[in-house]
Amino acid sequence: MNNVIIVQQDITQLRIEVIVNAANSTLLGGGGVDGAIHRRAGPSLLEACRALGGCPAGEARITPGFNLPAKWIVHTVGPVWRGGTLGEPGLLRACYRNALQLAREQGATSIAFPAISTGVYGYPKIAAAEIALSEMYAAWGFERVVACCFSKEDADIYRRLCSGYAGGESDNGMA
Ligand code: AR6
């Protein structure tokens, strides 16, 4: 089982090989973490995203990090929460799995995730964190898997849930 690190930070500032973006299916930018990533990465990111031609919910695409400290950005499209009976949990799980798979194919050994779908897309935070953590703990081939929470509320949810995993959260002094 993997070690998962929880930090409360702006994901665009992390010095890590891959950061994950919670994008929309156009991949052409938006608000929230997507907006922050595009602002910090610079206009070349929009050009690279345009060339990808969009991405359906649950899937992932990769671009360079451009002006970010991260080398790569994996863009994934979370489900919009519509009550939970329209396949949202499976789609959210697929986001984490597909992002991890793309990062692995790139040879990366460190990756950071925001809390996909829990902002504008309205996925309930605790239910989303349960899925996120189960996939992060199950990930193989990584030295560092980081849950990057923006708010203290999110970090508290992740920390509470983490104590349910063997060994709990690891501390490598990143935060
Ligand atoms: N670093 C880390 N996490 C952040 C940051 C940041 N700089 N900024 C926000 N978050 P959201 P979604 C957290 O709304 O729900 C966009 O417009 C935020 O607190 O960014 O998947 C896209 O273009 C929340 O916990 O993504 C889509 O249209 C989490 O990131 C839509 O929003 C996700 O919130 C996607 O919605």
Side-chain angles (χ1 to χ4, degrees):
M1 189 183 270
N2 220 329
N3 279 325
V4 173
I5 300 149
I6 297 162
V7 300
Q8 188 194 335
Q9 228 169 305
D10 175 352
I11 201 167
T12 65
Q13 306 202 337
L14 295 184
R15 304 203 161 271
I16 193 157
E17 282 171 279
V18 179
I19 64 165
V20 176
N21 182 17
N24 60 61
S25 58
T26 70
L27 297 183
L28 298 180
V33 70
D34 196 8
I37 287 173
H38 274 266
R39 270 194 303 279
R40 181 97 197 261
S44 304
L45 176 58
L46 184 57
E47 246 173 76
C49 285
R50 214 169 255 136
L52 294 172
C55 176
E59 294 189 16
R61 303 287 184 267
I62 193 163
T63 66
F66 298 103
N67 295 337
L68 288 170
K71 194 167 170 205
W72 303 102
I73 305 164
V74 167
H75 307 262
T76 188
V77 181
V80 176
W81 180 258
R82 293 197 170 91
T85 56
L86 294 172
E88 294 95 326
L91 286 170
L92 186 60
R93 200 172 280 288
C95 287
Y96 285 91
R97 284 195 189 167
N98 288 325
L100 288 161
Q101 179 61 25
L102 264 186
R104 221 171 0 236
E105 283 167 12
Q106 211 59 52
T109 58
S110 59
I111 185 167
F113 286 91
I116 300 165
S117 280
T118 65
V120 174
Y121 281 2
Y123 205 111
K125 285 169 181 288
I126 295 173
E130 281 169 351
I131 290 172
L133 283 171
S134 70
E135 292 303 322
M136 288 189 224
Y137 273 103
W140 51 271
F142 290 90
E143 283 164 19
R144 252 189 323 167
V145 179
V146 177
C148 183
C149 299
F150 205 44
S151 66
K152 181 173 183 304
E153 183 196 355
D154 283 356
D156 287 345
I157 289 171
Y158 273 74
R159 292 210 167 96
R160 220 175 308 122
L161 291 172
C162 250
S163 57
Y165 288 87
E169 179 198 353
S170 87
D171 176 12
N172 78 338
M174 251 194 96

